[in-house]
Amino acid sequence: SQTIHQWPATLVQPVGSPLSLECTVEGTSNPNLYWYRQAAGRGLQLLFYSVGIGQISSEVPQNLSASRPQDRQFILSSKKLLLSDSGFYLCAWTGQLGGYTFGSGTRLTVV
Amino acid sequence: QKEVEQNSGPLSVPEGAIASLNCTYSDRGSQSFFWYRQYSGKSPELIMFIYSNGDKEDGRFTAQLNKASQYVSLLIRDSQPSDSATYLCAVRSSGTYKYIFGTGTRLKVLA
């Protein structure tokens, strides 16, 4: 069966520090992968999506970046965090039926 | 700008009643429609998807789609306190890998 792993679960980082969030998928090959952010009380905002290794599409101009170094690995990074980067970060992949399966999420607080 | 709109709620229903959640979308090219349930502090979980006009039933859940009116709804029969959560509507346009989410409707089932 397919599973998606995302870590860490929670993170408190100072302003200006770097960020690296990792997501891996098991049990499938060549999945479409997504990074979303959900700010407190807000909807889900698509940040990046990838349809293959090295293929990244960015949806929102910001100080975040994404990379896909392996087929089932998706990484979200930042060189310098801003207060506005706080939120709940979700990795997701789409299966054959098209719906998302989300990871358990990372709650990031920038202080 | 493609949009998905939901009433933020809260929608309060007594235990055992039918909860009706609604969603409208702006892109007439949309082909796939999804409902997710999100408990507080958790990641969204796919509960229903529908692709064709009409009704689709799965246990206590029924999804209804009307493409002419650009309207999709979710009915929850025999509502239980454990159904209390935020319900997110998501829409995928044809020819894209992107899903647009509504901001969600908070449902409260009163025991």
Side-chain angles (χ1 to χ4, degrees), chain A:
Chain A
S1 64
Q2 300 95 353
T3 56
I4 180 168
H5 302 280
Q6 189 178 346
W7 66 92
T10 60
L11 198 56
V12 179
Q13 293 284 98
V15 169
S17 64
L19 174 73
S20 181
L21 302 180
E22 188 165 342
C23 169
T24 59
V25 180
E26 295 179 355
T28 188
S29 59
N30 198 31
N32 292 339
L33 297 173
Y34 304 78
W35 279 111
Y36 277 85
R37 178 172 62 200
Q38 188 175 39
R42 306 277 302 272
L44 286 164
Q45 179 187 32
L46 179 62
L47 302 176
F48 302 94
Y49 68 94
S50 172
V51 300
I53 295 174
Q55 300 179 60
I56 308 295
S57 295
S58 174
E59 289 298 302
V60 182
Q62 56 207 339
N63 68 323
L64 299 173
S65 62
S67 62
R68 185 169 177 174
Q70 300 181 42
D71 181 42
R72 291 170 289 175
Q73 184 184 30
F74 204 21
I75 297 172
L76 181 70
S77 303
S78 174
K79 292 182 179 178
K80 289 185 177 182
L81 284 168
L82 306 173
L83 285 174
S84 58
D85 291 323
S86 293
F88 191 37
Y89 287 81
L90 292 157
C91 179
W93 74 281
T94 52
Q96 291 182 343
L97 295 176
Y100 284 135
T101 298
F102 286 93
S104 54
T106 296
R107 192 162 304 280
L108 171 67
T109 304
V110 182
V111 296

Side-chain angles (χ1 to χ4, degrees), chain B residues 41-88:
Chain B
K42 302 296 185 181
S43 59
E45 171 192 15
L46 179 66
I47 54 172
M48 288 288 289
F49 61 89
I50 186 167
Y51 300 148
S52 304
N53 275 330
D55 295 359
K56 179 181 178 182
E57 186 174 320
D58 184 1
R60 295 187 296 114
F61 299 100
T62 298
Q64 299 175 316
L65 176 61
N66 184 325
K67 289 186 177 180
S69 299
Q70 295 175 244
Y71 176 94
V72 58
S73 65
L74 178 70
L75 301 178
I76 306 175
R77 290 181 299 281
D78 188 23
S79 296
Q80 301 297 310
S82 58
D83 295 325
S84 298
T86 297
Y87 289 80
L88 303 170

